[in-house]
């Protein structure tokens, strides 16, 4: 199985499994570090907040799930972690968790003459965010955002 196909299959399995537990798959990182393959699953609650104990429990459960399904043909290290306080914001769902909170957006192209916008998320529209800044209210298209952070 090609690496891209494996990642897609793993994402589907992990997303479904985590949803059943009331959690979201924030990110799946599959890469070689040192001599081995690392599968890093970043999970969180829809409203934010997952404990270290929950991550440890999920690590064991997902490890058993992978063993049962016999998907991995090579040795790997499995890590389940929370996105942390400095979590990257990339999807509309990520931004929704930050309503009325301060954030910084890094843009692909200038908006209102800026490549970075800092302010409070006031509204989420179909394809844009409305940010209250010290310079006033700025609407930023989701496609213009490279990433954001709280």
């Amino acid at each position: 199985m090609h690496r891209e196909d494996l990642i897609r299959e793993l994402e589907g399995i992990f997303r479904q499994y985590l949803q059943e537990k009331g959690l979201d798959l924030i990110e799946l990182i599959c890469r070689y570090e040192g001599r081995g393959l690392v599968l890093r699953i970043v999970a969180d609650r829809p409203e934010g907040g997952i404990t270290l104990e929950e991550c440890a429990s999920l690590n064991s459960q997902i490890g058993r799930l992978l063993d049962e399904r016999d998907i991995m043909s090579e040795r790997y290290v499995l890590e389940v972690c929370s996105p942390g306080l400095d979590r990257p914001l990339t999807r509309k769902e990520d931004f929704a968790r930050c309503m009325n909170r301060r954030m910084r957006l890094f843009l692909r192209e200038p908006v209102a003459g800026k490549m970075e916008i800092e302010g409070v998320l006031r509204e989420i529209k179909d394809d844009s965010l409305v940010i209250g800044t010290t310079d006033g209210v700025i609407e930023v298209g989701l496609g213009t955002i490279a990433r954001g952070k709280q």
Side-chain angles (χ1 to χ4, degrees), residues 37-56:
L37 179 65
V38 175
L39 295 177
R40 185 169 297 119
I41 299 168
V42 182
D44 204 0
R45 294 198 180 315
E47 65 280 358
I50 184 171
T51 68
L52 183 60
E53 292 79 19
E54 288 172 308
C55 289

Side-chain angles (χ1 to χ4, degrees), residues 13-146:
I13 291 168
F14 297 154
R15 189 172 310 284
Q16 179 182 350
Y17 185 79
L18 291 170
Q19 281 179 342
E20 291 170 4
K21 303 283 185 190
L23 302 167
D24 287 337
L25 174 64
I26 304 301
E27 185 176 24
L28 170 62
I29 300 166
C30 181
R31 69 175 175 218
Y32 288 92
E33 293 181 6
R35 296 185 199 203
L37 179 65
V38 175
L39 295 177
R40 185 169 297 119
I41 299 168
V42 182
D44 204 0
R45 294 198 180 315
E47 65 280 358
I50 184 171
T51 68
L52 183 60
E53 292 79 19
E54 288 172 308
C55 289
S57 177
L58 284 168
N59 193 304
S60 297
Q61 295 167 25
I62 291 172
R64 283 193 297 275
L65 178 69
L66 287 173
D67 290 345
E68 289 168 8
R69 295 195 182 192
D70 196 26
I71 296 170
M72 301 300 296
S73 60
E74 63 184 292
R75 291 179 39 139
Y76 64 92
V77 173
L78 176 64
E79 297 176 359
V80 178
C81 59
S82 75
L85 294 175
D86 200 24
R87 95 187 267 164
L89 307 171
T90 56
R91 303 173 304 153
K92 193 172 184 177
E93 296 84 8
D94 297 333
F95 291 110
R97 286 193 262 288
C98 301
M99 187 60 74
N100 298 315
R101 294 187 189 159
R102 179 164 289 287
M103 65 175 53
R104 177 176 284 172
L105 302 177
F106 301 91
L107 308 175
R108 291 187 175 94
E109 57 191 59
V111 172
K114 299 178 181 184
M115 290 297 290
E116 288 183 27
I117 295 177
E118 188 169 342
V120 176
L121 178 59
R122 296 291 181 216
E123 182 181 354
I124 299 175
K125 296 184 176 182
D126 286 338
D127 60 354
S128 64
L129 304 178
V130 177
I131 308 292
T133 72
T134 56
D135 298 328
V137 176
I138 298 174
E139 188 166 338
V140 181
L142 289 171
T144 306
I145 302 169

